[in-house]
Amino acid sequence: MSEDAFLGGQLRLRQPKSGHRAGHDAVLLAAATPARPGDRVADLGAGVGVAGLAVASRVAGIDLVLVEIDPTLSDLARGNAAANGIAAEVIVLDVEADAAAFAACALAPDSIDIVLMNPPFNDPARHRRSPDGARGMAHVATETTLASWIHAARRILKSKGVLTLIWRADGLAEVLSALDHGFGSVEILPVHGDVRVPANRILVRAIKGGRAPTQIHPALMLNDESGLPNKRVQEILAGKAILPLANR
């Protein structure tokens, strides 16, 4: 087990040394998530809680729910919330479970203001599944993963509730197809390693029942033209700035 600093040390979180480890994706997801005091916010597939706790660190007074299928990671998420003085409910639940299972955990339909999620997104046809069971589950998608997770988000979100997610860039068509059932007002932010390579991630925000046209924001470059870390990204990772998708 290791204890790692996030948001420039604002959060110190324990996570396993091996298997799936949270990093930049979780922090970027949090920085793209809009929330206001009083919002009920659900982090689906929360792992040790990095993304959800980062949102709670930025926005005081949210009602945070961390949903994670792995009991070990759930225990770590619960301990991480307590160690950082953040109130959070941690639920051990498969995101692909049915509505009755969600309702039994107090996640009834139309009960959540904001959902954020970082689903497993590697294509099993092109990515060899890790022999580490937890790492494989966290990283590799099935054919139904994305649609199932977005369906779960749609079910628990209130009308006009907001979903934010991170996915691999070459899966944009899959994301738009899945969001076509019940979501609109889609905003997309491509993320590039640097200016010389195609985007490898997309951050997406959508509104349940939204009707505004789709928007594509200027791309986020993790490194600048010289290959050095982008100063804006460093501010985001340090918890000093947010991404435009987080504006409401």
Side-chain angles (χ1 to χ4, degrees):
M1 205 66 61
S2 66
E3 181 175 288
D4 303 304
F6 292 87
L7 304 183
Q10 295 177 53
L11 290 175
R12 297 198 66 85
L13 306 175
R14 296 179 71 235
Q15 60 178 330
K17 287 185 178 180
S18 61
H20 174 64
R21 288 176 56 80
H24 288 182
D25 281 2
V27 178
L28 292 176
L29 175 62
T33 299
R36 295 171 178 162
D39 281 346
R40 192 169 190 222
V41 178
D43 180 358
L44 301 186
V48 300
V50 177
L53 294 174
V55 175
S57 178
R58 187 184 85 232
V59 185
I62 66 171
D63 179 6
L64 179 63
V65 183
L66 304 175
V67 179
E68 171 54 44
I69 190 173
D70 186 322
T72 299
L73 297 182
S74 298
D75 285 344
L76 286 168
R78 191 174 291 108
N80 284 335
N84 286 275
I86 295 172
E89 180 183 5
V90 180
I91 295 172
V92 181
L93 179 67
D94 183 350
V95 175
E96 299 190 46
D98 62 18
F102 269 73
C105 296
L107 290 170
D110 308 309
S111 64
I112 298 291
D113 298 289
I114 309 289
V115 168
L116 64 154
M117 61 188 193
N118 179 6
F121 55 58
N122 286 337
D123 184 344
R126 290 181 291 165
H127 294 266
R128 187 175 181 181
R129 188 180 180 96
S130 170
D132 182 295
R135 186 179 180 88
M137 183 182 294
H139 284 181
V140 178
T142 69
E143 292 182 358
T144 62
T145 296
L146 181 63
S148 296
W149 283 51
I150 288 178
H151 175 73
R154 181 173 62 251
R155 187 174 59 223
I156 62 176
L157 277 169
K158 299 176 181 177
S159 177
K160 305 305 180 184
V162 179
L163 166 66
T164 57
L165 64 92
I166 189 166
W167 193 255
R168 63 179 200 277
D170 65 3
L172 174 59
E174 302 167 56
V175 174
L176 293 177
S177 177
L179 290 174
D180 195 43
H181 303 282
F183 286 96
S185 305
V186 177
E187 299 185 35
I188 302 161
L189 195 160
V191 180
H192 298 245
D194 61 48
V195 298
R196 297 161 293 186
V197 297
N200 63 350
R201 297 283 188 273
I202 47 171
L203 288 156
V204 181
R205 165 181 151 169
I207 297 176
K208 182 178 176 178
R211 296 184 178 275
T214 297
Q215 299 181 45
I216 301 178
H217 289 265
L220 180 70
M221 304 292 172
L222 299 184
N223 296 308
D224 62 23
E225 292 84 352
S226 62
L228 297 174
N230 184 310
K231 289 183 179 179
R232 180 179 173 223
V233 173
Q234 293 302 103
E235 289 182 348
I236 291 167
L237 295 178
K240 298 178 180 178
I242 60 173
L243 291 163
L245 301 188
N247 293 319
R248 286 174 72 183

